[in-house]
Amino acid sequence: MLQQAPLVWGEIAVDNMDRAVNFYETHFNVSFSRKTMDGMEMAILETEEREAASIGLVKHEMMKPGTDGSLLYLHLSDKLTPLVEKLHTAEVNVLLPVTPIKGGECGFMSVFIDSEGNKVGLWSKLG
């Protein structure tokens, strides 16, 4: 058994960095620091805990947005339903409405399509 959580970093591919940053900042009330590293344009989600696992929006020729492949679940709200209703009102494509995991015992999840065409999950302890 691992001594620590295995997730240290996640990347979400983007075609248009300004559009992607605006999408996430608008809908999830988060902020990003933007950097260019080795030809890779990045926007790194800012967190209070600098050592916490986090995500970055990444624009690079090796990265293509899409709905196939890995699915990241983001914890961006204490209660999921108001957040997903806000996305729905903003006409964001919600693929999976708020759904309990094991009857809510393991929290709640939802899946949406972001501005770049990525399938992204949301998770929260409360529905």
Side-chain angles (χ1 to χ4, degrees):
M1 181 178 291
L2 293 175
Q3 293 180 355
Q4 71 280 334
L7 181 64
V8 295
W9 179 250
E11 295 179 343
I12 298 175
V14 305
D15 283 327
N16 182 310
M17 187 61 75
D18 290 332
R19 178 178 61 207
V21 166
N22 183 56
F23 176 87
Y24 283 92
E25 287 181 341
T26 298
H27 294 297
F28 303 109
N29 196 32
V30 295
S31 59
F32 293 87
S33 62
R34 294 176 74 158
K35 300 183 181 336
T36 300
M37 296 172 34
D38 301 322
M40 196 177 305
E41 189 178 347
M42 302 181 78
I44 299 167
L45 183 67
E46 295 177 325
T47 60
E48 288 182 23
E49 188 180 338
R50 294 183 53 88
E51 299 297 317
S54 191
I55 63 160
L57 305 175
V58 179
K59 181 177 179 182
H60 190 269
E61 63 189 33
M62 290 186 340
M63 310 251 329
K64 303 284 184 238
T67 58
D68 298 332
S70 300
L71 176 59
L72 294 176
Y73 280 85
L74 307 176
H75 183 197
L76 299 174
S77 176
D78 290 334
K79 191 168 184 183
L80 203 50
T81 297
L83 180 57
V84 173
E85 286 175 352
K86 179 182 166 189
L87 292 175
H88 216 315
T89 299
E91 298 183 0
V92 172
N93 185 4
V94 176
L95 297 177
L96 179 69
V98 175
T99 303
I101 305 167
K102 288 182 71 177
E105 180 183 331
C106 296
F108 295 80
M109 64 184 206
S110 180
V111 177
F112 68 94
I113 301 294
D114 75 1
S115 63
E116 305 307 292
N118 295 300
K119 182 172 57 175
V120 179
L122 296 170
W123 176 90
S124 185
K125 192 94 171 145
L126 302 174

